[in-house]
């Protein structure tokens, strides 16, 4: 099987009431951990690359790593997706360079300009057999080159979605309903604390999602900034030299609910970073004499695999859907 687009994936996900996981990749171990979990769980997957990942690892290396995953995991459909493409030129480079899906993020622009930029990307992508994700509404938070303050964030306006999709021709739409980028998605002031003293974030705006779904029946919706920031790995980081107070993510039960509705793609990045960093910190703390990268990257890869397996089974609902 070669790389595929997300078109059939999303049709099946929408009809089946589940979401496909879109996991950000930066190196070999992350690609291996994700795809090994998906292979064993028989789950479709989207491997996505940000502008920052391309700057770090080089476009060619990342494409070849994903192509290797396709060879090693022929049983599962794999999409190679550009996450948060900032402009036409970046999207064009990825389309020309082997990606099967791109996101153009012009959500910070005025509505008419967002339409103009997105339409230009869609026309070029469709001419080359590539699908396009666009965004309406702006998520707060920090992740790679995406930096948006809470004051500058905004929920998606449902009354705009029909015009936007009709005029741009985009294939899926990322919306803002209260998710946020990074491991510090909410300030303590925005949250409450449960009986264990753990921060509980405000609920997602399912009313916005439901209204968007009514206006775009059958159309695939995407959630960015949807890591749950597993507290066991936050604790692991903090117990082994890290300082991550009050890191909190999106409750998994809310993501599962979104996946049963019109959300066909859920982006997960920070959870994998936490998993890798917590594992490596613990290894160095417990084995200060070790220096072989293979020795600490191996358990990090294994834990990424288990984090992804949990997401496939218990959050996304896409295990067994390949």
């Amino acid at each position: 099987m070669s790389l595929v687009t997300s078109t059939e994936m999303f049709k099946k996900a929408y009809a089946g009431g589940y979401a496909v996981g879109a996991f950000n990749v930066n190196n070999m171990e992350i690609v291996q951990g994700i795809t090994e979990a998906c292979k064993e769980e028989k789950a479709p997957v989207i491997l996505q690359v940000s502008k920052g990942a391309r700057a770090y690892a080089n476009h060619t290396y990342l494409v070849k790593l994903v192509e290797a995953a396709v060879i090693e995991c022929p049983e599962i459909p794999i999409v190679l997706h550009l996450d948060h493409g900032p402009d036409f030129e970046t999207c064009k480079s990825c389309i020309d360079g082997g990606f099967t899906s791109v996101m153009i993020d012009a959500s910070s622009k005025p509505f008419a300009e967002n339409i103009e930029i997105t339409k230009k990307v869609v026309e070029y992508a469709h001419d080359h057999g590539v699908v396009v994700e666009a965004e309406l509404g702006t998520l707060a938070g920090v992740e790679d080159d995406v930096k948006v303050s809470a004051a500058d964030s905004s929920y998606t306006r449902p009354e705009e979605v029909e015009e936007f999709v009709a005029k741009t021709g985009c294939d899926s739409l990322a919306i803002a309903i209260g998710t946020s980028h990074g491991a510090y998605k909410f300030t303590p002031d925005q949250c409450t604390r449960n009986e264990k003293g753990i921060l509980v974030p405000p609920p997602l705006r399912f009313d916005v999602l439901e209204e968007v779904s009514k206006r775009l029946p059958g159309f695939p919706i995407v959630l960015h900034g949807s890591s749950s920031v597993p507290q066991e790995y936050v604790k692991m980081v903090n117990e082994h030299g890290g300082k991550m107070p009050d890191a909190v993510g999106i409750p998994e039960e809310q993501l599962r609910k979104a996946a049963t509705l019109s959300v066909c793609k859920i982006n997960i990045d920070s959870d994998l970073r936490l998993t890798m960093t917590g594992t490596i910190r613990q290894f160095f703390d417990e084995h200060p004499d070790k220096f072989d990268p293979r020795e600490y990257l191996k358990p990090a890869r294994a834990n990424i695999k288990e984090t992804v397996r949990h997401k496939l089974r218990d959050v996304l609902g896409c295990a067994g859907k390949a």
Side-chain angles (χ1 to χ4, degrees):
M1 183 181 290
S2 58
L3 285 167
V4 300
T5 71
S6 55
T7 303
E8 289 304 314
M9 276 188 191
F10 289 168
K11 286 179 182 177
K12 293 177 180 178
Y14 201 106
Y18 62 87
V20 178
F23 301 95
N24 285 68
V25 298
N26 298 280
N27 62 16
M28 181 185 76
E29 288 77 15
I30 295 174
V31 171
Q32 289 174 326
I34 295 166
T35 53
E36 286 173 13
C38 291
K39 179 179 179 179
E40 292 178 11
E41 294 297 326
K42 297 178 173 58
V45 68
I46 297 168
L47 300 179
Q48 56 186 29
V49 172
S50 66
K51 177 185 174 184
R54 291 177 81 227
Y56 167 74
N58 180 289
H59 175 103
T60 303
Y61 281 104
L62 290 168
V63 170
K64 294 305 179 183
L65 283 171
V66 173
E67 289 177 353
V70 172
I71 293 170
E72 291 297 316
C73 306
E75 309 93 335
I76 62 171
I78 299 176
V79 172
L80 176 55
H81 175 73
L82 170 66
D83 187 27
H84 287 288
D87 48 44
F88 174 81
E89 289 72 22
T90 303
C91 292
K92 181 180 183 299
S93 176
C94 289
I95 293 165
D96 295 343
F99 283 53
T100 55
S101 175
V102 296
M103 179 202 183
I104 175 63
D105 183 3
S107 60
S108 63
K109 308 292 186 184
F111 183 70
E113 189 176 352
N114 188 353
I115 289 176
E116 181 183 356
I117 295 169
T118 301
K119 183 180 180 181
K120 183 179 180 182
V121 172
V122 168
E123 289 174 348
Y124 188 83
H126 286 183
D127 283 346
H128 292 78
V130 172
V131 295
V132 178
E133 174 187 328
E135 182 167 349
L136 269 181
T138 309
L139 273 64
V142 177
E143 188 169 11
D144 279 4
D145 293 321
V146 180
K147 299 176 177 65
V148 180
S149 69
D152 291 331
S153 64
S154 61
Y155 291 116
T156 298
R157 299 176 62 186
E159 62 271 21
E160 293 180 339
V161 298
E162 293 163 285
E163 179 184 358
F164 184 86
V165 169
K167 288 185 175 180
T168 63
C170 65
D171 302 283
S172 61
L173 184 66
I175 65 171
I177 61 169
T179 56
S180 178
H181 291 117
Y184 299 90
K185 299 182 184 299
F186 308 97
T187 66
D189 291 343
Q190 293 174 296
C191 304
T192 57
R193 289 190 184 271
N194 64 17
E195 64 279 1
K196 296 180 181 178
I198 297 173
L199 291 175
V200 179
L204 298 181
R205 288 288 303 273
F206 283 100
D207 58 322
V208 174
L209 174 59
E210 290 167 359
E211 183 60 28
V212 169
S213 301
K214 288 179 184 176
R215 292 170 179 266
L216 295 174
F219 194 80
I221 302 301
V222 176
L223 288 188
H224 284 244
S226 295
S227 283
S228 297
V229 189
Q231 293 302 300
E232 64 267 30
Y233 282 108
V234 173
K235 182 180 179 182
M236 187 184 292
V237 168
N238 290 334
E239 287 180 346
H240 296 283
K243 294 181 179 179
M244 295 190 66
D246 296 332
V248 63
I250 309 299
E252 290 185 335
E253 62 272 15
Q254 293 193 40
L255 296 174
R256 184 71 197 99
K257 179 180 177 180
T260 65
L261 301 172
S262 57
V263 173
C264 297
K265 173 177 179 274
I266 292 180
N267 289 15
I268 299 168
D269 184 10
S270 295
D271 287 355
L272 304 190
R273 298 184 188 198
L274 277 168
T275 299
M276 175 166 265
T277 299
T279 304
I280 292 173
R281 277 191 175 276
Q282 181 179 43
F283 183 92
F284 281 148
D285 203 10
E286 295 175 351
H287 305 281
D289 58 317
K290 300 292 187 180
F291 62 92
D292 187 340
R294 294 170 297 184
E295 292 193 68
Y296 57 81
L297 290 173
K298 185 176 180 179
R301 179 177 59 193
N303 282 347
I304 284 175
K305 180 178 176 179
E306 292 311 308
T307 293
V308 172
R309 189 194 307 277
H310 162 65
K311 299 292 184 182
L312 301 174
R313 288 179 174 178
D314 304 320
V315 181
L316 302 163
C318 62
K321 306 297 186 180

